[in-house]
Amino acid sequence: MKKLLLIPLFLLSNFLHSQIILQENFDALGDPITLPTGPTGGWTMTNQSNPVGTATWFRGNTAALTSYNGPADGYIAVNYQSGAGVSNLSNWLMAPSRTVQNGDEVSFYTRVPGSQYPDRMELRMSTLGDLSVNPSGSTGLGSFTTLCASVNQNLTVGGYPTTWTKITYVVTGLSGQVACKFALRYNVTGGGTGNNSDYVGIDAFEIKRPVNNDLSLESVTVPSIIVNGNFSFNGTVKNVGSNSVTSYDVTWQSNGGALQTYNITGVNIAPGATNNFTHSVPLNVIAGSAYSLVFNVSTVNATTDGFTADNSITKNTIGASGSTTYKPLIEKFTSSTCGPCASYNNATFNPFYTAQNQNFNYIAYQMYWPTPGDIYYTAEGGVRRGFYGVDSITSLWINGVNYSTGNNQATLTTHVNTEATKPGYFGLTANRNLSGGNAVVNYNITPFITGSFVLHAAVIEKLTTANVGSNGETSFKHVMMKMVPNASGTTINTTAGTPISGQISAIISSGTFIEDPNDLEVIVFIQNATTREIMQSFKATDALSLEDNALAKVKLYPNPASNNIRFTNIQEATIMITDVTGKVVLQTEGVDENSIINVSNLNSGIYLVNIKNESMNETIKFVKK
């Protein structure tokens, strides 16, 4: 059967780009039929069946077939009523003239409702364009003498496709670019009331010109933040043209500056295959700078790429002065009246929390639905819900990204642990004082990037039981009680390498649902308000747990420092320096007033220096410039 020979061409065209010469989906046909007008107009039809029947081509009948694409009746059809009695059917539908050349592809989708009747459809071509001669009589062809394809040419019962099948003809035999007309001919002998004809649908008619040399720039790896220094770009291209690719150029441009070109040779990329590259010119990243990067595949096989719509990718990044350890933040929207919330918590989240709670910080916002909702709902929790666009619960957000609650405990664990390996671009420490109806949070931030961000602080109660509702849960963890100073947070404008500190506070009103004041914690986090990305999080320490530097008996100087630090009032002590996550980054013994501690290898940021000997155990905050 002819269509079987055409299927490989269809499969190949799935990944080839092309120039569309004519495309008609027959979605706007009238009833009775009005052939397409406008840019794809100029369609005509003539019924030369003998004896001729009452029907021409018509809008699709959904009782027989539904369309390949578009509205259910958005296709064109023809049937046995083209003839009267037992007849020879020759019912023509002719497309408007278009200029084509060898290698262009003409295609359409077709099918019949069932396999009881043979039916037959021809695709024919006239090389006279608008001067084409229409056929006359049931056997006449006019100037449409070239048979391009014949679907079920031998009128075999069951030979016509009963599912939408693409028929493709590749133009050949022309001397150059020629104005041509293509026509569909419903051609059945023994049709009409005979046994050979029934109903045929046609959809998605198209004439296109494949592109020979065409690479698609599929991806370029550019993190949103890059530590200062040289950074090389890795990317992937895909051959979506008809020729194999043996060479190509990739360019990148930063902030509208000079083009950086890399010519890649010695490859052999088959149609449909991909190729990975590392650009030969790296970007010199400067801390505090922002970069708008445009990548482009400009040349393929030493010629201009034939299809430009898929050539470019734009990426934005900023330069960082360094990095530190990152602490993930989980925010959960839930309720004591939500049945699915209880199922998720019992099966997945609570076991995960028990096993992994040291690896992340966690805030739960109790919601006011399903009715009557959790009695510990607050308007500030509602602001956070609106910020993320949460409209159903349980909703889990990890580092500012919605995470599927359909995943199991193992998958959740893997995801959070992977998030914890990301670099952090803010050193963050904080202490809190929760007394006298006030929440006071002192924070210290060492930014490694320049920009505008929002500092949030959430007062949470580690365990609540008075808000038990209807879903069967008997207690709730890390329930948000108050945002400090409010749910909008505090805007911080940062400069890479320049530490900042400050204090935020809020009144904890009598209407707050705190069950045990001794069970409170404060989670402090920095967020990008535009992307919603959590940049860093930290569980604030008790303000009374560390002595203030000014009151400490031991003095550390200089503070901040770039290279070396020393101590006063110290004898034979062990010095242990930890970063904001508690990781030990330097330890030495036998330190006295004459000792010099080299800290030049430490990243810029805030550290805790523990000084311990037989008579003292003190901790001092230290800023590394």
Side-chain angles (χ1 to χ4, degrees), residues 530-603:
T530 301
T531 66
R532 302 192 296 203
E533 179 182 3
I534 302 296
M535 309 303 297
Q536 186 63 278
S537 72
F538 184 79
K539 182 171 69 176
T541 59
D542 192 321
L544 301 179
S545 65
L546 297 179
E547 290 190 29
D548 186 90
N549 290 352
L551 300 178
K553 296 178 182 180
V554 177
K555 301 293 184 180
L556 179 157
Y557 70 96
N559 191 5
S562 298
N563 298 310
N564 301 308
I565 58 174
R566 302 182 66 171
F567 300 90
T568 62
N569 301 323
I570 185 174
Q571 293 180 350
E572 295 295 322
T574 297
I575 304 298
M576 183 171 65
I577 302 178
T578 58
D579 65 16
V580 294
T581 68
K583 179 182 177 181
V584 177
V585 296
L586 189 152
Q587 183 170 332
T588 186
E589 298 179 353
V591 176
D592 59 24
E593 292 184 345
N594 296 317
S595 301
I596 298 175
I597 310 300
N598 186 341
V599 294
S600 60
N601 290 330
L602 299 183
N603 291 328

Side-chain angles (χ1 to χ4, degrees), residues 252-271:
W252 65 262
Q253 186 179 34
S254 173
N255 298 334
L259 280 177
Q260 307 296 333
T261 303
Y262 176 36
N263 177 240
I264 299 166
T265 60
V267 294
N268 187 5
I269 313 170

